[in-house]
Amino acid sequence: MGICEQHAVTLAAGMATQGLKPVVAVYSTFLQRAYDQILHDVALQKLPVILCLDRAGIVGEDGPTHHGAFDLSYLRHIPNMAVLAPKNEDELRDMLITAVAVDGPVAIRYPRGSRNGAVSEQPPRVLPWGRMETLREGSDLAVIAAGDTALPALNAAKALERELGKSIDVSNVRFVKPLPEKDILALARAHSRLLLVEENALAGGFSSSVLELLADKGFLEKGLRVRRVGLPDAFVTHGEQGLLRGMLGIDESGLENAMREMLAEKQ
């Protein structure tokens, strides 16, 4: 379809009405052009169209127009739409197989380039729907990370345990929608501190959905301390991916600092 994103999504919707399961592969930032078609042509009819959003998050030298900073925010509020975010290449394969097994629209967002590991020789598997993954258990702080921020968060937690002797729980949310509510509320009951991490605009993104859940269930009134790490309410400039993540505090070092600050706070 070239750069005709609106046409691509509507064509995929038409294919889905005829029994196909089309996959629309597109840059995260350019899928914004097809918002209306996603809403009315796909989601309203609950058609099994799979949206694969490449270059989600920080993309590097292409600059402000190409950063995939907003997809979690502009997709998660759409009814019938599922939104998934893999932690690495293996999980991306699992999520694609999972999306094919679902009778409805699914969006999968993943970053530019090779980030967190080689592809396994094991065949992909269907993931438990709407459940997050515990990467490590801990008692001093709980961290829930979305997408490819999960493994940097895990590494940061391990480094702090070696440095401070603190036990940090790290989870990979996997499903931004449907949100793993039972898993998140279980962590909220077991911890007094919760750190939420995403490479998406904080406004309306993954962490916003968790805050909404916690507010609705009364946890914020019980003294639960919540901190969010993500992209600011600004257009991020161009630059090398690692450099920009460091400037924004969403790389491993930045996450380690955020965890250290939360651990230092008084109860």
Side-chain angles (χ1 to χ4, degrees):
M1 293 297 104
I3 60 171
C4 301
E5 292 85 358
Q6 299 96 321
H7 178 53
V9 170
T10 299
L11 178 61
M15 292 176 173
T17 66
Q18 301 305 305
L20 299 176
K21 284 201 171 183
V23 177
V24 180
V26 61
Y27 286 15
S28 164
T29 187
F30 296 140
L31 190 63
Q32 295 160 181
R33 296 169 175 165
Y35 175 82
D36 184 63
Q37 287 72 26
I38 295 169
L39 191 71
H40 289 152
D41 298 342
V42 175
L44 182 63
Q45 303 177 80
K46 201 177 180 181
L47 293 173
V49 174
I50 301 170
L51 304 173
C52 287
L53 282 63
D54 186 15
R55 286 163 168 75
I58 297 298
V59 300
E61 289 82 352
D62 288 331
T65 58
H66 281 56
H67 295 308
F70 310 108
D71 54 72
L72 296 183
S73 303
Y74 71 71
L75 287 174
R76 77 170 184 88
H77 67 267
I78 298 178
N80 297 328
M81 177 65 66
V83 185
L84 284 59
K87 69 178 184 294
N88 61 8
E89 290 86 342
D90 265 352
E91 199 162 68
L92 173 57
R93 296 196 311 156
D94 292 342
M95 287 184 177
L96 187 56
I97 293 297
T98 303
V100 171
V102 172
D103 186 22
V106 179
I108 309 172
R109 60 109 66 177
Y110 49 95
R112 176 187 180 185
S114 178
R115 276 278 272 154
N116 289 316
V119 175
S120 168
E121 295 181 0
Q122 298 298 319
R125 64 191 179 94
V126 174
L127 298 173
W129 189 252
R131 298 300 303 272
M132 69 184 187
E133 174 190 32
T134 299
L135 299 178
R136 95 192 291 268
E137 295 182 347
S139 57
D140 294 310
L141 169 67
V143 180
I144 307 176
D148 70 327
T149 62
L151 295 183
L154 177 63
N155 292 334
K158 290 178 179 177
L160 279 181
E161 182 176 43
R162 292 191 296 268
E163 176 188 341
L164 304 176
K166 296 293 186 179
S167 174
I168 301 174
D169 192 295
V170 181
S171 296
N172 165 31
V173 74
R174 282 180 170 168
F175 291 83
V176 174
K177 185 181 181 180
L179 198 66
E181 294 188 1
K182 291 182 179 179
D183 298 330
I184 292 171
L185 294 177
L187 280 180
R189 292 186 187 98
H191 294 83
S192 60
R193 300 179 177 94
L194 181 60
L195 178 66
L196 307 172
V197 184
E198 61 187 311
E199 197 167 303
N200 184 86
L202 288 174
F206 154 67
S207 59
S208 290
S209 68
V210 176
L211 282 178
E212 292 162 11
L213 171 66
L214 295 174
D216 290 345
K217 300 298 182 180
F219 280 84
L220 300 183
E221 302 167 6
K222 300 174 183 177
L224 177 66
R225 172 73 173 99
V226 182
R227 177 171 175 175
R228 304 188 295 156
V229 175
L231 301 184
D233 184 22
F235 291 106
V236 179
T237 187
H238 68 279
E240 190 272 326
Q241 285 174 291
L243 175 64
L244 292 179
R245 290 186 176 110
M247 290 171 54
L248 296 167
I250 56 175
D251 62 350
E252 187 175 319
S253 176
L255 297 180
E256 188 176 326
N257 288 336
M259 293 178 198
R260 183 182 289 108
E261 290 172 3
M262 285 204 80
L263 289 167
E265 292 177 355
K266 294 182 178 179
Q267 292 280 9

